[in-house]
Amino acid sequence: MDEQDMPQRLVDAVIADFPDHAPGTRPAHTIGLGVTGYFRGSPIARDYCIAEHFQGHNVPVTVRFSNSSGSPVQHDGWSDARGMATRFHLQDDQATDLIAMTLREFFSPTPEDFLEFSKEARPRPVKPDPWWRKILDMLQLKPPNPDPYPGQNESGAPGSLDYANHHRSAQLAALDAAMLGAPVSYARATYNAVHTFIITAPDKTKRYVRFFWQPVAGVEVTDPTAPPVDDYLQGELRERLRDWPAEFLLLMAVGEGGDPLLDPTQAWPLHRSRVVMGMLKLIEIPADQETFCEKMSYNPGRMTRGLEMSDDPVLAARAQAYEVSRKMRGGSPCPFSKG
Amino acid sequence: MSGNSSWMNSLVNRMATSKFFNYLAGHVLVPYWAWRTPVYAQHGGPRATIPPGDNMQRMMNLILPLKDKTAVGRAKAALAIASNLDEIYAGLDNVGTVHFARFVIIENNMCMISSYDGDFSNYIRDFVAQLGTVFDSVVALIEGGDDMIPTKENIDAFINWVHDRDVYQIPDTATDLLRYGTIGHSAAKADGPDDLRLMPRALILQLHKNPNSLLGSGYRGYPGLSVAQIRHKMGLGW
């Protein structure tokens, strides 16, 4: 396989997972909403990292919340991953991005595995299991497959499950995905940056870390037994921000020897040192969503001084694939930044 | 036979949470699958591991069935603690690796619950060195405890005895349930595909073997920090 082609192949693979994907839009996380606000590093963040946004002053941000699907059809109420991409606008027209999602792990440890996973996860026709199969499952103490949502004729879930049954690296993500549910608000979910990054402290100490956003309002999902609502997340956020900013804590887990530093399919133990790196306040939804959301292109590889990518091969591949995707849809790296 | 009759599907969907099915599952299906696909009862306490963060604030949840299952027996257990408070507090301070510890009586069980740093064997060894006489007075009230007394002279046997009574800790990494504790027939075969949909059964069968369980490794407000670090940073004189 020609490694030069890998970023394009990754983008093509994601697009192939969504047969109704609309050209010119994002291959995944197609439906989203841009929000602006600011981030302020905590008093101790600067002791861990010299990056500008951790120095304790307000840094303007543009955040895009999204549903993970690459389909242009909105299904807010379906159980699925959500995305939170954050652009920190730094001085001198520089910027850094942090891209996070509600899954705690990625499905593949390498780009090659991701291609295989994407192929398996292509939508298949789905319909409710026959009643007798459900009974057979129940007799085996096996939960019956959930019925498709009303109007849902195909799904990538059966392929993902098959893949995970044959690839242990995908199992945690598959299980996590099966239990995610739908958030009651974009501002009421935890978002994980999944990959390992390397931060540099003022004394030049380097640490392997993973970041995650935790909502100050707490985590809450919709009632899974109620019929799903297709369009509520964007309206809910608009309504919420009329009254009060939406706030998130940026938390950082510090890795230790033996932790899977370069494998995004493996979550770190929950009891790693956890440092509060700052507070995000989201204040306004810009009217010009075309500029602040749709045309803006985030990239998990957009770093800044004091913040580096680890050698996680999926992170490197994603950084390249996001750039391919940006060019394909005519996106701009940033409306203000040259970074 | 139509497999997709919608009324039948609705009925079966409702059946999954019905009292009838819950009874059938608990009294027939669980014993059947426990016989058909047996699992090992996993040991209690946290697993041995190397990273320092995994060895801080480890959880111990001992459940010790009282011999005397009346209020008199429970009162004797309470008195065994109350009459030794000085020994217990001084001992816990001297052990130096205990974040918190408490004794709880729950339904004729004396429960000893603590969070400690470091290795389990050394934790119990230190405890016995400091609190051997208190342990003896408590263990004398517990089923199967007589052979352990005096604990100071049966230290290795006592460590194993305590370990056996420390509740099983369900792994944070859920898929570990597929890997550990299965015998022969399992959801995770060594040489074939797994079946993730059998995860719930793996959990049920482990809980059948281990009725008392800690759900995951537990929350920590300040993960990765030892008692010694906290005492030092807070300027408490240690």
Side-chain angles (χ1 to χ4, degrees):
Chain A
M1 182 186 303
D2 185 354
E3 287 208 3
Q4 297 289 317
D5 292 345
M6 182 56 83
Q8 184 67 56
R9 289 163 61 100
L10 290 169
V11 174
D12 292 344
V14 171
I15 289 174
D17 281 347
F18 303 103
D20 61 347
H21 173 74
T25 63
R26 285 177 163 85
H29 293 268
T30 305
I31 290 176
L33 182 67
V35 192
T36 57
Y38 65 88
F39 174 82
R40 189 180 183 92
S42 73
I44 49 89
R46 72 189 75 171
D47 298 338
Y48 285 87
C49 184
I50 59 172
E52 184 187 321
H53 53 310
F54 294 133
Q55 300 313 301
H57 55 265
N58 288 354
V59 173
V61 297
T62 309
V63 170
R64 182 177 187 270
F65 291 106
S66 57
N67 295 350
S68 71
S69 171
S71 163
V73 183
Q74 191 165 352
H75 292 296
D76 288 349
W78 290 12
S79 174
D80 203 356
R82 315 290 151 161
M84 178 181 176
T86 305
R87 165 75 44 84
F88 300 88
H89 301 280
L90 307 177
Q91 291 173 350
D92 301 325
D93 291 338
Q94 295 299 302
T96 184
D97 292 347
L98 185 64
I99 300 190
M101 62 173 178
T102 48
L103 282 177
R104 280 169 291 192
E105 313 84 6
F106 204 62
F107 284 92
S108 321
T110 66
E112 292 77 14
D113 284 327
F114 184 75
L115 288 177
E116 204 183 329
F117 167 74
S118 294
K119 204 170 160 188
E120 283 286 318
R122 287 197 185 142
R124 302 175 186 180
V126 287
K127 54 185 181 181
D129 276 352
W131 60 266
W132 50 267
R133 181 168 296 155
K134 290 183 179 179
I135 289 181
L136 283 179
D137 283 342
M138 287 158 61
L139 292 175
Q140 294 181 72
L141 298 173
K142 196 174 182 176
N145 284 314
D147 289 344
Y149 291 111
Q152 184 182 25
N153 300 315
E154 50 184 27
S155 167
S160 301
L161 181 65
D162 277 357
Y163 181 85
N165 280 334
H166 290 82
H167 297 81
R168 290 184 175 173
S169 57
Q171 290 185 349
L172 280 175
L175 271 179
D176 212 4
M179 295 190 290
L180 266 181
V184 298
S185 165
Y186 280 131
R188 299 204 62 179
T190 293
Y191 296 86
N192 307 283
V194 174
H195 301 286
T196 303
F197 295 90
I198 305 167
I199 58 169
T200 305
D203 65 359
K204 304 216 173 5
T205 300
K206 289 187 183 285
R207 291 181 173 90
Y208 286 83
V209 299
R210 287 186 177 178
F211 294 102
F212 57 105
W213 293 107
Q214 213 165 58
V216 172
V219 172
E220 189 176 346
V221 294
T222 57
D223 177 359
T225 62
V229 177
D230 282 339
D231 182 1
Y232 67 91
L233 284 171
Q234 298 193 6
E236 193 279 344
L237 195 57
R238 288 178 197 281
E239 191 67 30
R240 177 181 291 269
L241 296 188
R242 270 188 209 119
D243 298 331
W244 202 254
E247 297 174 322
F248 286 84
L249 275 182
L250 179 61
L251 295 173
M252 180 180 80
V254 182
E256 295 184 3
D259 285 341
L261 301 179
L262 308 182
D263 183 353
T265 66
Q266 293 187 57
W268 286 356
L270 292 171
H271 37 269
R272 287 292 167 267
S273 284
R274 201 168 55 229
V275 180
V276 176
M277 293 299 280
M279 173 77 87
L280 175 72
K281 278 185 191 284
L282 297 175
I283 297 168
E284 191 181 0
I285 297 178
D288 182 4
Q289 284 290 306
E290 189 65 10
T291 303
F292 283 90
C293 183
E294 295 315 311
K295 283 295 173 192
M296 212 167 141
S297 290
Y298 296 85
N299 193 308
R302 183 171 286 115
M303 299 285 100
T304 188
R305 192 178 76 93
L307 186 60
E308 301 164 52
M309 294 161 65
S310 67
D311 289 336
D312 176 345
V314 176
L315 177 57
R318 282 183 72 193
Q320 293 175 316
Y322 274 56
E323 183 58 13
V324 168
S325 162
R326 179 186 75 77
K327 287 177 181 162
M328 283 173 70
R329 65 187 184 83
S332 59
C334 176
F336 307 117
S337 156
K338 296 171 193 160
Chain B
M1 176 174 60
S2 165
N4 286 317
S5 165
S6 62
W7 69 267
M8 196 62 188
N9 252 328
S10 304
L11 183 69
V12 172
N13 287 346
R14 283 200 302 275
M15 196 175 93
T17 53
S18 67
K19 284 182 182 170
F20 164 73
F21 183 74
N22 280 344
Y23 184 87
L24 179 74
H27 292 82
V28 179
L29 298 178
V30 171
Y32 171 75
W33 286 108
W35 165 75
R36 185 84 174 75
T37 61
V39 301
Y40 293 109
Q42 290 287 288
H43 289 300
R47 283 196 211 132
T49 171
I50 291 170
D54 292 345
N55 286 291
M56 301 297 169
Q57 303 173 44
R58 289 149 78 81
M59 311 282 178
M60 184 182 81
N61 302 278
L62 292 190
I63 297 186
L64 307 173
L66 293 167
K67 287 178 189 166
D68 181 347
K69 300 184 191 310
T70 68
V72 173
R74 296 193 287 275
K76 282 181 186 168
L79 280 173
I81 301 303
S83 59
N84 288 294
L85 277 185
D86 283 348
E87 289 92 329
I88 292 170
Y89 274 71
L92 288 170
D93 275 344
N94 290 338
V95 166
T97 55
V98 184
H99 290 259
F100 70 79
R102 58 181 176 266
F103 299 88
V104 187
I105 296 173
I106 302 175
E107 293 189 346
N108 297 317
N109 294 292
M110 168 63 97
C111 303
M112 300 170 70
I113 298 168
S114 68
S115 174
Y116 64 95
D117 300 326
D119 171 71
F120 178 81
S121 296
N122 289 337
Y123 173 50
I124 300 301
R125 206 176 292 275
D126 289 349
F127 242 132
V128 170
Q130 287 285 332
L131 291 167
T133 53
V134 179
F135 263 125
D136 289 350
S137 60
V138 173
V139 170
L141 304 173
I142 306 301
E143 286 179 358
D146 290 342
D147 292 345
M148 298 297 121
I149 300 170
T151 50
K152 277 184 181 172
E153 293 174 19
N154 296 294
I155 185 69
D156 290 323
F158 182 63
I159 288 169
N160 289 335
W161 187 86
V162 173
H163 203 180
D164 287 344
R165 285 153 182 79
D166 194 2
V167 304
Y168 165 60
Q169 300 191 3
I170 294 177
D172 288 317
T173 306
T175 47
D176 283 357
L177 279 168
L178 293 176
R179 313 268 172 271
Y180 303 111
T182 51
I183 305 170
H185 310 274
S186 76
K189 303 176 189 74
D191 56 352
D194 297 341
D195 185 352
L196 282 182
R197 288 179 60 214
L198 282 176
M199 277 274 309
R201 189 168 87 193
L203 175 64
I204 289 167
L205 295 184
Q206 191 53 242
L207 289 175
H208 183 62
K209 280 279 183 188
N210 266 313
N212 300 313
S213 294
L214 174 64
L215 308 182
S217 61
Y219 171 80
R220 291 153 177 80
Y222 40 87
L225 294 177
S226 69
V227 172
Q229 285 172 305
I230 291 165
R231 285 173 170 173
H232 177 71
K233 289 273 184 193
M234 299 303 291
L236 299 177
W238 258 274

